[in-house]
Amino acid sequence: NAGVMQNPRHLVRRRGQEARLRCSPVKGHSHVYWYRQLPEEGLKFMVYLQKENIIDESGMPKERFSAEFPKEGPSILRIQQVVRGDSAAYFCASSPRGAVGETQYFGPGTRLLVL
Amino acid sequence: QKEVEQDPGPLSVPEGAIVSLNCTYSNSAFQYFMWYRQYSRKGPELLMYTYSSGNKEDGRFTAQVDKSSKYISLFIRDSQPSDSATYLCAMSANDDYKLSFGAGTTVTVRA
């Protein structure tokens, strides 16, 4: 009974490179949420996606960040031209119906380090 | 002012002690209240879930919500070294799926 899977678990990039973070939700879940955790801070909502649709990207920085959840395959969070301030843990969560108040199940996270 | 305030600690207690954690919040629209446990280098794991005001008990864990004071608490009785983790409060509004998190309180239970 696999939970949310994320890879890679650790990612090191130099400034200016691209980072791609992948998330496979719990089997049967079609709703995915991405959160970012900066050091000494709580998780901050970034984006909410259903299959092939971005529902809410109000927490995403306007530039360099994008997310997708294709019909087949994992959800991808993409960060272009990374900067040191992008260093953080990125967590993906999933839920079965996307209903308000529904439990969100979190993955182990991807820890991005930008040199 | 942050939407959800949580004292980061750290908190160190002897085994068997009661651990008391709390969060305050400013958004009166919050209706769903959660506590997540996060072990070092792992993802958050849901521990307790409460809707609106009231108490909820699950084994050694008790969650309390006081909406009039905008204050939530988590109590861990008979704490064990395996309870050593960071505890995150989270909440969401009745018309929203986004979770708003506290910064987390790091707890160490000494054997």
Side-chain angles (χ1 to χ4, degrees), chain A residues 68-109:
Chain A
E68 63 176 10
F69 190 14
K71 188 177 179 181
E72 301 291 337
S75 175
I76 306 284
L77 179 67
R78 182 183 179 205
I79 312 172
Q80 296 178 289
Q81 299 176 324
V82 296
V83 300
R84 289 212 172 115
D86 297 332
S87 295
Y90 292 83
F91 291 95
C92 166
S94 75
S95 69
R97 295 180 302 279
V100 168
E102 191 174 51
T103 297
Q104 295 181 19
Y105 298 88
F106 282 82

Side-chain angles (χ1 to χ4, degrees), chain B:
Chain B
Q1 183 190 8
K2 292 181 182 178
E3 198 170 39
V4 181
E5 297 276 2
Q6 184 177 8
D7 186 341
L11 194 60
S12 179
V13 300
E15 185 175 357
I18 294 175
V19 176
S20 174
L21 305 167
N22 58 76
C23 290
T24 58
Y25 61 94
S26 57
N27 188 348
S28 58
F30 286 148
Q31 294 279 2
Y32 301 92
F33 303 92
M34 291 137 266
W35 286 94
Y36 282 84
R37 178 174 62 194
Q38 186 177 21
Y39 290 114
S40 181
R41 316 300 275 180
K42 304 289 186 183
E45 167 195 15
L46 183 65
L47 203 56
M48 298 288 282
Y49 182 108
T50 311
Y51 174 70
S52 194
S53 283
N55 294 356
K56 185 172 183 179
E57 189 172 322
D58 184 1
R60 296 185 294 112
F61 299 89
T62 299
Q64 294 181 348
V65 175
D66 181 350
K67 288 190 64 185
S68 62
S69 302
K70 297 191 179 68
Y71 185 91
I72 70 170
S73 303
L74 177 71
F75 299 96
I76 308 173
R77 290 183 299 280
D78 187 25
S79 57
Q80 305 295 310
S82 58
D83 294 327
S84 298
T86 296
Y87 291 81
L88 304 161
C89 63
M91 45 201 81
S92 64
N94 224 12
D95 58 352
D96 202 358
Y97 37 75
K98 297 192 291 287
L99 298 180
S100 295
F101 282 85
T105 301
T106 299
V107 174
T108 301
V109 180
R110 309 186 304 272

